[in-house]
Amino acid sequence: DITLETLARAWDVPLVLDPILADILHAHFGARITDDHLRMARVPEGTRLVSGGPIAWPVMCFGNVYILPGVPEIFRAKFDVIADTFQGQAFYLRNLYLNSDEGEIAPLLRRIEGAFAVQIGSYPRIDRADHRVRITVEARSAAPVDAAMEALVAGLTVTEIVRVDPPLNTR
């Protein structure tokens, strides 16, 4: 695994041996510990450890980057430890599915995004989906999303629109 080494390189900080991680490894491997085991205790300087959950190995946090294990079961258990960190004000999201070409509707999307202070995403499909592009409209409150969606629909022809999903309140 080169994740931690890559982070250190990207932020131009050294990798350092974290004593807490080294202690966990020593407790687990005992006399069998090797230098390769201890490589798992090397973290970018400034990394903070977040402990908790059913697994002793902590989540590592470097700046605003959380480093989680790749094993799905362990990932889930460790994400539960930090999930509250990502709680915040709700986002409101609407989806619009079109048979349009992304390049042809881009001017409309930019105009609507600026006029309604929303974020618009455009996601073309190349498989056999029932649409060619999915448009997402999101903001921190429902009113601008709904208004932007109305304006988008009004700016398109009925043959371009496959469907419009109802509003979703997401976190």
Side-chain angles (χ1 to χ4, degrees), residues 4-88:
L4 297 170
E5 181 181 325
T6 303
L7 278 172
R9 244 187 285 151
W11 272 271
D12 196 26
V13 298
L15 280 175
V16 297
L17 186 71
D18 184 279
I20 294 171
L21 296 177
D23 286 348
I24 292 170
L25 291 168
H26 278 287
H28 181 76
F29 291 105
R32 299 176 299 124
I33 197 159
T34 67
D35 287 342
D36 284 325
H37 290 129
L38 287 172
R39 283 188 69 220
M40 292 188 289
R42 292 171 38 100
V43 299
E45 187 173 58
T47 296
R48 178 173 57 88
L49 303 180
V50 182
S51 297
I55 298 165
W57 196 257
V59 172
M60 293 170 232
C61 181
F62 179 71
N64 65 348
V65 176
Y66 287 86
I67 300 104
L68 293 151
V71 178
E73 296 82 10
I74 300 172
F75 178 97
R76 275 195 243 34
K78 295 317 288 186
F79 183 78
D80 288 344
V81 172
I82 61 169
D84 288 344
T85 303
F86 301 102
Q87 296 297 319

Side-chain angles (χ1 to χ4, degrees), residues 32-167:
R32 299 176 299 124
I33 197 159
T34 67
D35 287 342
D36 284 325
H37 290 129
L38 287 172
R39 283 188 69 220
M40 292 188 289
R42 292 171 38 100
V43 299
E45 187 173 58
T47 296
R48 178 173 57 88
L49 303 180
V50 182
S51 297
I55 298 165
W57 196 257
V59 172
M60 293 170 232
C61 181
F62 179 71
N64 65 348
V65 176
Y66 287 86
I67 300 104
L68 293 151
V71 178
E73 296 82 10
I74 300 172
F75 178 97
R76 275 195 243 34
K78 295 317 288 186
F79 183 78
D80 288 344
V81 172
I82 61 169
D84 288 344
T85 303
F86 301 102
Q87 296 297 319
Q89 184 181 358
F91 277 92
Y92 294 85
L93 173 73
R94 300 276 307 267
N95 291 296
L96 174 63
Y97 300 86
L98 304 174
N99 276 328
S100 302
D101 177 81
E102 187 180 33
E104 293 172 1
I105 61 170
L108 173 64
L109 300 180
R110 281 193 301 274
R111 196 168 49 251
I112 298 296
E113 189 173 49
F116 294 92
V118 295
Q119 291 183 330
I120 294 181
S122 177
Y123 306 95
R125 296 293 297 256
I126 58 172
D127 59 6
R128 297 189 183 271
D130 68 342
H131 60 282
R132 291 178 57 199
V133 64
R134 176 175 62 104
I135 304 300
T136 61
V137 180
E138 63 183 291
R140 292 285 187 172
S141 60
V145 171
D146 291 338
M149 187 60 73
E150 283 181 34
L152 274 172
V153 169
L156 297 163
T157 66
V158 70
T159 57
E160 290 177 291
I161 300 170
V162 174
R163 69 179 177 281
V164 180
D165 284 352

